[in-house]
Amino acid sequence: MSIKNELKESIIGLDPLDQRVIDTNLCKADGTHNKSALGANSILAVSLANLRASAVSRSIPLYQYIHSINKQVSKLNKEPILPAPMLNILNGGVHADNKIDFQEFMIQPLGFNTFKSALRCGVEIFNELKNFLKSENLITSVGDEGGFAPQLATAEEAIELILKAIKASGYEAGKDVFVCLDPASSEFFNENKYILQGADKHLSSGEMISYLKTLTSKYPINSIEDGLDEDDWEGWKSLTETLGSEVQLVGDDLFATNPERIKRGIEESVANSVLIKMNQIGTISETLEAVALSQENGYKTVISHRSGETEDTSIADLAIGLAAGQIKTGAPSRTDRVSKYNRLIILEEKFKIPFVGKNEAL
């Protein structure tokens, strides 16, 4: 039987308004612990299609439907709120052909009262960054997530450029807008060393923590994603003890939107925020459970895109409906990225949904 038929047969005759039952049967049809038989992407497509169809059948916006079914999952079930955007405006690592080892350099506008004004800030900084790159004769073409990938070598060089763009745009770094990093450290972790080729550094776990501490002391950084390798649990505990009270420490590869890994993080006091990706876990119900588990234990949540995105805007509604507080969906360029921002603006204007507010996201 084809994957399409297996998925179809698993949900025929079920109540589409019972998302949990739909998703449970999809997982049973796969029959594996990690959805390796039918694939998380295939399962998610069906799960998400059912979610959207159910919202349409109820004649309510998707974010409202998500909020309504979240009542069955979350003890908190916060009221819908527009998230603070994280805009990935400069790339390195596996997302670029330059020498920068860190994968993403983001900005997060927090000193604003509306999503629209926060996004405007991000767009203006993005355009000023392009001007600076041009003036330095650096490449201004964009990568998969819409960010620039100039020929730079170190994280410091990238951050300095971003700070220049913030200032030139008329905003104040550390007040209106902050810098967020995604080193994606698992990509350059080898034989118990963090090998930063661009910066010519070979660091132990403790030295990597010291390096991140130095960066946060020097620059207005408020969030670091995957600062250490996904299986360096002892290092993560030390990192959290060192920086957890100062900045947001986001687990992406560390947690993989997996409740089992999130529970371990909570038990061991590792990180303080979870990156949420629907197709990492594979169904809507499991995504809601991961968010509820995180929020109920005091962890921040960031709803995230993936590389190779489409123009589907579901994560915008998901971020609002679950009151995640933050959304990461690329730079304000490329239609697969801009579509999410447009959706958020439309929902803000049409339904008067409140924005997370000045400096409240973190």
Side-chain angles (χ1 to χ4, degrees), residues 132-148:
F132 275 108
L133 293 176
K134 280 184 176 180
S135 69
E136 297 291 330
N137 294 316
L138 294 169
I139 295 172
T140 57
S141 57
V142 299
D144 182 62
E145 294 178 3
F148 299 116

